[in-house]
Every structure is written in C-alpha cells, then in structure tokens.
Amino acid sequence: MKGKLEEEDMEIVWQTPANPPHRLDYIFRNGRRHVRPYYFEFIAHVKNRWAGKTIVDLFTDEFKGRSRDYYVSAVKCGRIRVDGEMVPVSYIVKTSEKISHFLHRHEPPVLTSDVLILQKEPDVVTVCKPASIPVHPCGQYRKNTVVGILEAEHGLAPLFPVHRLDRLVSGLLILARSASKADFFRQQIEGGMIKKQYIARVAGEFPEQEQVVDANINHNAREQRSTAEVGACGDATPIKGKTACTKFTRLSTNGVHSLVLCEPVTGRTHQIRVHLQHAGYPIANDLLYLSKHVNDRSALIPASDFCENLSTEHVDSNEDFSIDPMCTNCPDLVPKGYNVHEEALWLHCVRYSAPGWTYECPYPDWASLS
C-alpha cells in the first residue's frame, strides 16, 4: 500500500511493509550494497505506559535517536499523525491509538556478495547467505536482507526462514516456501532431529582430539553479548543462562590458526562464538569475543586488517537519491551511528540434516589455511 503526504514544497510517496523490494532499490558502491533511501510509514499503537503523555514527549522519551525539535517539527507538518490525522504538539495520546511516523528511511549497507541460490525446490529454497546481511527485516534493515534481496532479484516470495543465522555469520540458509513446510521443519527442530554443522577459523592450534564444551549461555539483550556460565565445585549459587553444548573437531591447522568443525547440540544466541572463547580458541576475527584467555594472542587479527574505512559516504543527490530537508541522515547515504566494524565473521554454516533430507553449502575462501 502506498499513500501520499503533501507538504508545502513537495509531495511525498511513502511505503509500508506491503510494498515489495525492487531490483532498482539498490545502489552498489565500493564493495557495498546500499538501499536507495525511501519514505516509510512506521506504525505503533499506544501502550498503557505511554498513555497520558503529549505526542512530543512520547517520541522524545521513547525514541531518542532524534531531537525534541525534530519531533515538534514532525508533528506540526504531519510527519507524525494519530489515527491518520494531524494533531497539535500538545495532544495527549490515549491507549491503543495508532501513531504513524513518516520517515525518510536510510538502511545500513551490507557487503555486495550475491545471495547465491543453492537449491530451488517446490517447497524449499536454500541459499548461501553472505556475511553482514540479516536474514529477515529487523531493526534498521528491511530491503537489505536475504528475504528482501531474494524477492527483489528473483521474485521469490513469500519465504519463511527455517533457522536463524546471525547477521555476521555466512553459509547455508534454508527457507520454506509455505507456512506448512515451515511448520514441518519447526517440528523437527523442536524434536531435536536436526543436526547442524558449522566451520570456524579460530586463533591458535586447536587440540587434535574432539572437544565438548558444556556451559550455560547467558545472553544480555541490552549489550547484545553472551557469556558462558559454569558452576564451581561446591558452589550452591544457581548457574545463570540456558543449558548449551557444542562439539568441536579440528579439521586443519597451520600453527597460527585452526579450522574447526562446530556441531551445536543446542541453539543459543552466539553459542558457538562464546563456547570457542570459553575453550580458549576464539574466532580469530571476532572483535566481540576476543579475550585475555586466548592461548596465542599473536594469532588474533587486528581490527585494522579486516575493517573498512569509517569515513561517512557523501553522494551526489541528483544521481542516487533525492534529499529530504527534514531527514536527519541526508545528505549522507549511510545512516548516522552506523558502525562498519565487524562485517564478516569467520563462522560459516555448512550443513543441516535430518532423517530424509540433507542440505549443504560450499566452504568460503577463508577456510583455506595455506
């Protein structure tokens, strides 16, 4: 669904989640896939704890990414509306009212690697997900996602991701083409029938014998970071987090790095990364989980060796997109606050299998230690 907002000097055409991504929505520059900024209607319904606040106080208190002055201007010009109508800045919101915020949306860039289709079956599609691309719309990402790109470039929709891969992780991604097939996979996952295999390039010479890490994973959603928790002998304090277990097998080593097969028995947030850190062999370019407990500090990759330039990209508005005078990101293409560190993690999903089916993905270039 598209709609129009009329302002003094321009007519704005905005998009809602019903508008599918299109091939022409993307801009490719300097090894990155950008999304041409677009007008988007964000919709929220007033929660009980919001009721009684003025519309400006609500946005200022709850959505701190923009200034109070911006929200005052947005209400006055109709960029923020209640139940589809313009309201004064002193308007008091009520529970369940629909609030619309019309924004000139800038999505963060991702690496330009193609989303390679591995298998296309009547009810399943498998792809090789590049690192840095989220699986589905979340946060600042909508079109720059695996689901969005597959719809824009291959007309594949709807798609139902069967399992999760973190944004920085690459490799096999299974997508069902119907809700019933997605439910079939869900039941197998919940029944513990699916075997998962990943590879990781870790710091140091990983032990030759199979290693099993059995340590709870405690995820801090606010910090977006997990820790491994193991109870000490005789300690009566309950262990935090959820039970988690991962098996590790060394595939090869050059003495500085090792290629390790990772087989998570459970599926916790950042489980493989945290268990490798706990074992003393973190992923060699994992900035989030590099620690003093590493067995060989010389094997770690400095950030400067794999992070790109942090400078902001300026673009010619006549060539790529039109500038919105109210937008807090324009004239830059990349949204403010975007951190270009940690774009490609050396962790790759290679195989998922269960009784009756197996899907695989080729190894990435970094898997060669020669």
Side-chain angles (χ1 to χ4, degrees):
M1 171 179 179
K2 291 190 178 181
K4 294 182 180 179
L5 262 182
E6 304 227 352
E7 298 190 351
E8 285 187 18
D9 299 316
M10 61 179 169
E11 179 181 80
I12 295 173
V13 178
W14 73 84
Q15 300 183 22
T16 72
N19 299 118
H22 189 276
R23 186 182 293 269
L24 296 179
D25 291 339
Y26 300 99
I27 301 169
F28 296 91
R29 175 177 291 122
N30 301 327
R32 294 185 177 256
R33 176 194 292 262
H34 299 264
V35 173
R36 202 178 305 278
Y38 55 95
Y39 289 100
F40 188 78
E41 180 186 7
F42 284 92
I43 297 173
H45 289 85
V46 177
K47 303 176 184 180
N48 288 334
R49 65 182 177 85
W50 294 356
K53 293 186 176 184
T54 68
I55 186 71
V56 172
D57 285 344
L58 165 60
F59 274 88
T60 303
D61 294 344
E62 300 292 336
F63 305 98
K64 300 182 184 297
R66 291 173 173 81
S67 69
R68 184 181 183 85
D69 288 343
Y70 166 82
Y71 290 125
V72 169
S73 298
V75 172
K76 286 182 176 178
C77 75
R79 293 274 183 113
I80 293 176
R81 298 189 176 203
V82 178
D83 288 335
E85 302 294 331
M86 293 182 65
V87 296
V89 294
S90 59
Y91 181 82
I92 305 295
V93 300
K94 305 175 188 67
T95 303
S96 299
E97 285 182 320
K98 186 185 86 169
I99 298 179
S100 297
H101 186 192
F102 302 96
L103 275 178
H104 194 232
R105 186 170 184 174
H106 293 236
E107 294 192 27
V110 298
L111 298 180
T112 55
S113 305
D114 290 334
V115 179
L116 176 65
I117 295 177
L118 302 172
Q119 288 182 256
K120 185 159 64 171
E121 302 170 356
D123 52 3
V124 178
V125 173
T126 67
V127 302
C128 183
K129 181 187 102 60
S132 86
I133 304 179
V135 171
H136 52 74
C138 58
Q140 289 183 284
Y141 299 88
R142 177 171 165 260
K143 299 182 181 183
N144 246 353
T145 62
V146 172
V147 170
I149 292 168
L150 287 174
E151 183 171 10
E153 298 186 347
H154 300 280
L156 290 170
L159 293 174
F160 304 84
V162 169
H163 60 103
R164 187 184 57 159
L165 286 182
D166 287 343
R167 186 177 68 84
L168 299 180
V169 178
S170 59
L172 175 69
L173 181 64
I174 306 170
L175 303 114
R177 302 183 72 175
S178 68
S180 59
K181 190 64 176 180
D183 189 59
F184 164 78
F185 283 118
R186 179 189 60 78
Q187 291 180 33
Q188 289 195 317
I189 291 172
E190 291 179 353
M193 301 167 64
I194 293 182
K195 183 177 181 180
K196 302 167 281 187
Q197 294 182 328
Y198 294 71
I199 57 168
R201 182 167 175 165
V202 306
E205 187 169 341
F206 198 85
E208 191 172 0
Q209 300 79 20
E210 178 183 89
Q211 304 289 305
V212 177
V213 176
D214 194 349
N216 282 20
I217 296 294
N218 185 26
H219 182 65
N220 186 320
R222 181 180 293 274
E223 295 183 2
Q224 289 297 299
R225 181 185 178 93
S226 296
T227 54
E229 306 285 345
V230 180
C233 182
D235 188 353
T237 304
I239 304 174
K240 296 180 181 178
K242 298 179 179 179
T243 57
C245 180
T246 314
K247 294 190 295 184
F248 298 107
T249 306
R250 190 179 83 187
L251 299 177
S252 61
T253 185
N254 60 11
V256 177
H257 292 154
S258 299
L259 189 68
V260 177
L261 177 68
C262 314
E263 299 176 279
V265 178
T266 51
R268 310 303 184 195
T269 303
H270 295 183
Q271 176 177 318
I272 294 174
R273 299 166 67 181
V274 174
H275 277 179
L276 283 169
Q277 178 202 43
H278 183 72
Y281 301 90
I283 295 171
N285 69 345
D286 190 349
L287 289 179
L288 187 60
Y289 292 111
L290 295 179
S291 78
K292 63 183 179 181
H293 302 297
V294 167
N295 290 342
D296 182 4
R297 294 292 293 177
S298 66
L300 304 183
I301 306 297
S304 59
D305 286 359
F306 63 92
C307 294
E308 298 192 19
N309 195 296
L310 284 171
S311 61
T312 304
E313 279 195 64
H314 293 272
V315 298
D316 181 347
S317 62
N318 294 323
E319 175 190 352
D320 292 297
F321 70 97
S322 58
I323 302 298
D324 182 332
M326 278 194 66
C327 179
T328 56
N329 291 307
C330 287
D332 300 328
L333 181 56
V334 178
K336 287 180 171 57
Y338 173 71
N339 188 346
V340 297
H341 284 289
E342 290 192 339
E343 282 297 340
L345 193 66
W346 285 346
L347 178 61
H348 184 86
C349 181
V350 294
R351 192 172 189 265
Y352 263 57
S353 61
W357 59 266
T358 298
Y359 294 112
E360 295 181 322
C361 184
Y363 279 18
D365 292 340
W366 54 255
S368 173
L369 298 182
S370 58

